[in-house]
Amino acid sequence: MEGFFKVCFILDHLNKVPENVNLWLVYLLSYLNKKLTLKEVAILVYSLDYLYSKIPPNGLRDNELSELERKLEYIVDYVNSFYKPNEGLYRFSINEKPLEETRYALFSINLIEDIIQDAIYYHNADLKPINRIYDKLGGVEKILKIANLLPKTS
């Protein structure tokens, strides 16, 4: 998946679109059949956001849209499965820093919510609309408290 991400990153910065972007999207979604770290999810979601943004309105076939809808909901549930309410953080591994993993989770949820809203508007996706930023986030209040305790960077 790292190589796939690098190609998407380069194409994105060159403002290029791969041929058969829909096929790329479906292929990328197949990575969700594996157990991913929160960092890997963030990488996947970045690539998903890039590819999805290159598909024109109503450019998804019914089966592609259904797969996208299922996988978007899956990603949210998967990421939120690592939320630890007693800590207010996301944790996948004891080897990673909890704040880093929480950043990966926030990044992923934020992009997924954007994709959901776009998919509803441009592709008539059968997804629940987002009512507020981080609507899909577990424990947003506790995470915000922790975020406000972090040292300010300039």
Side-chain angles (χ1 to χ4, degrees):
M1 182 172 55
E2 187 75 30
F4 195 91
F5 163 73
K6 288 178 182 178
V7 170
C8 288
F9 185 83
I10 291 167
L11 288 172
D12 189 14
H13 283 75
L14 293 174
N15 204 22
K16 300 287 184 186
V17 180
E19 289 186 33
N20 301 317
V21 68
N22 292 43
L23 184 60
W24 282 52
L25 181 79
V26 171
Y27 178 75
L28 177 65
L29 293 174
S30 73
Y31 280 105
L32 290 167
N33 296 330
K34 302 174 184 176
K35 187 171 184 170
L36 302 174
T37 66
L38 288 171
K39 181 179 181 179
E40 290 170 327
V41 171
I43 288 170
L44 183 140
V45 169
Y46 171 88
S47 301
L48 175 63
D49 184 58
Y50 160 71
L51 292 172
Y52 175 80
S53 72
K54 303 306 178 197
I55 297 172
N58 299 314
L60 289 171
R61 293 180 200 93
D62 288 344
N63 62 325
E64 294 166 340
L65 180 59
S66 294
E67 183 69 3
L68 179 65
E69 291 168 349
R70 278 193 304 278
K71 296 297 184 169
L72 290 173
E73 290 174 343
Y74 173 80
I75 294 168
V76 169
D77 291 342
Y78 184 76
V79 169
N80 279 330
S81 73
F82 299 107
Y83 179 67
K84 306 298 180 202
N86 57 329
E87 299 174 25
L89 298 167
Y90 285 82
R91 297 190 79 147
F92 175 83
S93 167
I94 59 169
N95 299 325
E96 293 288 332
K97 295 178 183 172
L99 289 176
E100 274 304 300
E101 290 196 308
T102 300
R103 278 192 199 108
Y104 295 138
L106 294 173
F107 175 83
S108 299
I109 296 289
N110 185 37
L111 283 182
I112 291 297
E113 288 181 346
D114 286 346
I115 295 170
I116 287 171
Q117 288 300 94
D118 286 351
I120 291 168
Y121 184 79
Y122 292 112
H123 302 282
N124 201 27
D126 186 23
L127 295 164
K128 183 181 173 214
I130 304 301
N131 294 316
R132 59 183 169 85
I133 297 173
Y134 291 126
D135 196 31
K136 303 276 184 188
L137 197 62
V140 70
E141 292 81 17
K142 198 161 195 172
I143 292 170
L144 287 174
K145 280 183 186 176
I146 290 170
N148 286 333
L149 295 176
L150 296 176
K152 303 292 185 229
T153 59
S154 49

